[in-house]
Amino acid sequence: MTFEEFSDRVRLSMEDICRDIFYENREAIKVKKEAVVVKNLVNIYNATLRLSNVKGFHAMSLRELARESSMSLGGLYSYFTSKEQLLDIIQQQGYRITRDILAETVDIDADPEEKLKAAITAHLYLSEAMQPWFYFFYMEAKNLGREEQKKAIASELYTEQIFSDILAQGMAEGCFANHDPVMTASLIKAMLQDWYLKRWKYSRRKVTVEAYAEVIFNFTINNIKTNN
């Protein structure tokens, strides 16, 4: 599957994400017209990600966010009551999308090698489609409060578990040589993170996300596959 095909299938534009946020938080959002809400949420979340990537989420004030999103301070409070609630919505939406897309993409009946390729490719494509979000989650993790850090750690371990389960299945079925599946999953995760944390490097080298996915998969499979 190409990145373009993936994008057409999962529809992860900022408008799509903000429409989901509206549906999931409609009781808390004071504005009720969907078109108005989606338009303003797009401005709010784009502004939040821009400011956070420049100065950090916790250093960002709501007044700065209001200016950046071209909204009044009172207007912001129509969509959330505090920075903490804004952060919680960003976290929950990002983690939900990651879980759902990976679960939908990896065929549980496929063989381990096919599963591994699907999981690597889906994770990379997802991080390409949501690069500002993934960058935000990684960079802000160290500044989160205890409860928010627990959620971030749980999400990190969830995606690693997907890879380690596939690797363990491959070992059990004799497809993969004996190795430490947890450590290998951690190394895969680190290679995946390099894509969205250092996007400029691969852009400069004209490396496509499809090519990078192929490199990670081939590198991994060449080191774990049996010679049978």
Side-chain angles (χ1 to χ4, degrees), residues 33-82:
K33 291 185 177 180
E34 179 181 326
V36 175
V37 173
V38 171
K39 178 181 177 181
N40 286 334
L41 286 178
V42 167
N43 290 334
I44 291 170
Y45 285 101
N46 278 333
T48 299
L49 294 172
R50 283 196 303 269
L51 287 172
S52 297
N53 288 343
V54 170
K55 63 188 305 180
F57 180 83
H58 288 279
M60 175 193 76
S61 71
L62 288 182
R63 290 191 181 279
E64 289 174 316
L65 178 57
R67 287 196 300 270
E68 185 72 16
S69 59
S70 301
M71 296 182 66
S72 67
L73 195 57
L76 289 182
Y77 286 124
S78 298
Y79 297 92
F80 55 87
T81 58
S82 64

Side-chain angles (χ1 to χ4, degrees), residues 162-178:
I162 290 175
F163 292 112
S164 64
D165 286 348
I166 294 171
L167 295 167
Q169 179 192 353
M171 288 170 57
E173 295 181 6
C175 304
F176 302 154
N178 288 332

